[in-house]
């Protein structure tokens, strides 16, 4: 699946998650939704990285989708992303979200 389609899916999921009423309702259902969404985000990260590894992908588009997930990335995920996107600006943006300074992109510090 193309990265753009996955990014659209992320945007829709983010909107749906934000629309969940949290001030009233069943606490267990809210917690279940939160856990379900956390699992979904992890799975979506893997789908994005696999899509980037399989097809020619615009690095900026891929990193924008990853940033929309709002996840902390582990070393393995960061290395996969670096192989796909290179070590320029888009990679530096992701590292900045991870609170990591990347010497090649001081504009994101």
């Amino acid at each position: 699946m193309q990265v753009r389609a996955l990014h659209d899916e992320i945007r829709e999921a983010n909107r749906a998650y934000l629309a969940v009423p949290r001030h009233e309702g069943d606490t267990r259902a809210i917690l279940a939704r939160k856990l379900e969404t956390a699992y979904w985000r992890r799975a979506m990260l893997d789908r994005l990285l696999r899509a980037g590894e399989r097809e020619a992908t615009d690095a900026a588009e891929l990193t924008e989708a990853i940033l929309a997930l709002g996840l902390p990335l582990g070393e393995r995920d960061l290395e996969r992303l670096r192989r796909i996107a290179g070590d320029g600006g888009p990679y530096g943006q992701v590292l900045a979200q991870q609170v990591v300074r990347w010497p090649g992109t001081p504009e994101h510090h």
Side-chain angles (χ1 to χ4, degrees):
M1 183 175 266
Q2 289 185 340
V3 170
R4 183 165 300 168
L6 293 172
H7 193 183
D8 290 342
E9 190 176 332
I10 292 166
R11 285 186 193 111
E12 182 57 37
N14 285 342
R15 279 191 291 274
Y17 182 72
L18 290 173
V20 172
R22 289 167 178 78
H23 59 281
E24 58 185 54
D26 181 12
T27 305
R28 287 180 186 259
I30 293 169
L31 180 59
R33 178 67 188 255
K34 183 176 181 173
L35 293 173
E36 177 184 293
T37 300
Y39 176 80
W40 177 86
R41 287 178 193 278
R42 278 276 153 213
M44 180 57 77
L45 173 63
D46 187 58
R47 289 175 65 193
L48 282 167
L49 291 171
R50 281 188 286 126
E53 290 165 342
R54 279 194 314 265
E55 59 194 52
T57 304
D58 177 49
E61 186 175 29
L62 176 62
T63 56
E64 186 179 333
I66 289 173
L67 290 170
L69 287 173
L71 283 175
L73 275 63
E75 287 183 38
R76 184 172 177 267
D77 294 327
L78 288 171
E79 185 55 40
R80 287 174 73 189
L81 177 60
R82 187 174 179 197
R83 281 195 304 268
I84 299 164
D87 56 6
Y91 182 66
Q93 283 182 296
V94 173
L95 287 176
Q97 184 187 43
Q98 306 296 310
V99 193
V100 175
R101 288 180 179 233
W102 186 246
T105 58
E107 66 273 17
H108 299 300
H109 293 179

